Amino acid sequence: MPETARAKITALGAYVPPRVLTNQDLEKIVETTDQWILERTGIRERHVADKGIAASDLAVEAVKNLVKSHPMDLQEIDLIVVGTVTPDMMYPSTACLVQHKLGIHHTWGFDVSAGCSGFLYALNVGTEFIESGRYRKVLVIGSDVNTSMVNYEDRAVCIIFGDGAGAVLLEPANEGDDNVIVDHVAQVEGAGGAFLYMPGGGSLNPASPETVAKKMHYIHQDGQQVFKYAVKKMAEMTERVLERNQLTGADVDCFIAHQANKRIITATADRLKMPMEKVIINIDRYGNTTAGTIPLAMQSAVEEGKLKPGDTVLLAAVGAGFTSGATLLRWGF
Ligand code: UT7
């Protein structure tokens, strides 16, 4: 058996499609206002993929951006893990499509379906593979085109979502290097499935004229239920991972949460007594990009000088499922 190792993030790339949909644009589509959206969610605008652009396309662009900032031979990639709930199609997996589009040979991969926790869960999986000692270069991607599932007549849903993707490279840390993925906690509670789901197109309700007529191919969300659960659970998961590592919010240099609603993020930061300058918020520019939010927020944090080598970073997400999780790491580059 190979020796076990700690995993470390060694590179980052992110991507959003160029087309921007502002709150003012949405005012022309549904009965809403820029003020309502901004006050209730913190969103000003979001990027939307054009027809024909799918999750694998955004993922590929995010990986290309990763390579631009961290030149490497993609042929060395051992494993590709993609967090997504908007795969290009039911199968093959998005990971297979990404592998093919990037021309990476001698690798394997699969998708992780965890709603808005998709990137965090994919990161957990990638970390375990590195820690097994068998794998040395793992691409962890979060990519979603949730606007393709949005009913632009449902004003409580269509204002939230944007499209985007991000990718990190995981590698084994060198001996003595403590800028590693330190710990993670995660939990699913399937009873919450009824509050955020897409009922059509799966094996229960295969696509048919009837499922389309009943709008079953769109996102169905009870926003208030999701909101209440997210506030409670994000606090619980972040406190759990901090406590078991004998840390408090005061020890965290950078808090990067899933960007679903600014009020969920600030409620968690308040509970952890974290000043807002340590909290990364870019939901105003991107909206909720599902599995894309955390790597996109990492990218914003790096660009804004809020994420530096050695920083203690807390990641957190809550999503459809319900899924939730929190990850503690020290930034390495
Ligand atoms: O990433 C995980 C996925 N999703 C989430 O995390 C979403 C969590 N939930 C939320 O972010 C919020 O619940 C929403 C942003 C979706 C909705 O905000 P809210 O403050 O919970 O609004 P609400 O659903 O309680 O609706 C309040 C009012 C209602 O009107 P009445 O019944 O009080 O007259 C809605 O019809 O606001 C109305 N409303 C809107 N008004 C203007 C709902 N959507 C809109 C809108 N513009 N876009």
Side-chain angles (χ1 to χ4, degrees):
M1 274 294 280
E3 274 186 41
T4 58
R6 303 306 300 273
K8 175 175 180 167
I9 296 178
T10 55
L12 167 70
Y15 178 77
V16 288
R19 185 153 64 92
V20 175
L21 185 70
T22 64
N23 290 351
Q24 286 78 12
D25 294 330
L26 283 167
E27 285 177 351
K28 294 178 197 137
I29 301 173
V30 282
E31 200 184 328
T32 191
T33 61
D34 172 44
Q35 191 192 355
W36 191 96
I37 300 172
L38 197 55
E39 279 176 13
R40 305 308 292 163
T41 68
I43 303 168
R44 288 179 193 278
E45 59 186 34
R46 67 290 288 140
H47 289 246
V48 174
D50 285 333
K51 204 164 178 284
I53 301 295
S56 69
D57 299 308
L58 304 194
V60 163
E61 294 305 321
V63 174
K64 285 182 183 167
N65 285 337
L66 179 150
V67 174
K68 265 185 215 155
S69 66
H70 179 86
M72 64 171 293
D73 182 359
L74 284 175
Q75 299 308 332
E76 293 173 2
I77 297 295
D78 301 312
L79 170 63
I80 303 167
V81 188
V82 182
T84 186
V85 279
T86 54
D88 295 30
M89 55 192 90
M90 290 290 283
Y91 56 87
S93 72
T94 311
C96 290
L97 301 172
V98 169
Q99 172 272 325
H100 178 62
K101 287 179 180 179
L102 288 171
I104 307 175
H105 309 298
H106 311 300
T107 190
W108 69 299
F110 50 88
D111 291 0
V112 170
S113 171
C116 294
S117 307
F119 176 79
L120 218 52
Y121 280 29
L123 186 66
N124 295 348
V125 171
T127 299
E128 297 290 343
F129 275 97
I130 294 283
E131 290 182 350
S132 77
R134 287 181 189 273
Y135 298 90
R136 298 196 60 81
K137 288 194 197 286
V138 177
L139 262 184
V140 174
I141 302 170
S143 182
D144 271 302
V145 183
N146 235 334
T147 62
S148 64
M149 316 284 172
V150 158
N151 176 3
Y152 279 93
E153 291 174 356
D154 183 349
R155 65 178 181 169
V157 171
C158 73
I159 53 128
I160 301 174
F161 291 102
D163 303 325
V168 297
L169 178 66
L170 283 181
E171 294 183 81
N174 296 323
E175 226 179 292
D177 184 351
D178 66 352
N179 292 342
V180 295
I181 310 277
V182 177
D183 196 7
H184 69 254
V185 294
Q187 190 177 356
V188 299
E189 290 188 68
F195 300 121
L196 182 51
Y197 66 116
M198 209 198 81
S203 53
L204 180 62
N205 300 299
S208 69
E210 194 191 354
T211 61
V212 173
K214 289 184 173 166
K215 302 186 191 312
M216 291 166 82
H217 55 299
Y218 289 135
I219 299 165
H220 292 240
Q221 172 172 271
D222 181 335
Q224 279 197 13
Q225 292 293 339
V226 180
F227 185 90
K228 275 191 252 167
Y229 184 84
V231 168
K232 179 175 82 93
K233 207 67 192 178
M234 202 176 268
E236 191 185 311
M237 298 308 271
T238 48
E239 281 174 346
R240 195 183 299 172
V241 78
L242 287 171
E243 267 166 36
R244 79 178 194 190
N245 289 278
Q246 291 85 48
L247 298 174
T248 69
D251 299 302
V252 174
D253 300 304
C254 185
F255 177 45
I256 301 181
H258 167 56
Q259 313 274 310
N261 187 315
K262 190 177 173 186
R263 291 183 291 137
I264 298 172
I265 304 170
T266 51
T268 311
D270 283 352
R271 173 90 166 254
L272 297 173
K273 299 193 176 61
M274 254 183 304
M276 283 312 287
E277 58 267 21
K278 292 182 174 183
V279 181
I280 307 306
I281 306 242
N282 66 3
I283 192 171
D284 51 325
R285 283 168 279 158
Y286 302 123
N288 179 353
T289 57
T290 317
T293 60
I294 289 182
L296 273 168
M298 285 175 170
Q299 184 70 44
S300 296
V302 169
E303 285 167 6
E304 292 162 19
K306 292 181 175 174
L307 191 47
K308 300 174 290 302
D311 277 356
T312 297
V313 183
L314 180 63
L315 310 178
V318 177
F322 288 128
T323 57
S324 62
T327 297
L328 194 61
L329 60 98
R330 271 184 295 275
W331 196 250
F333 64 97

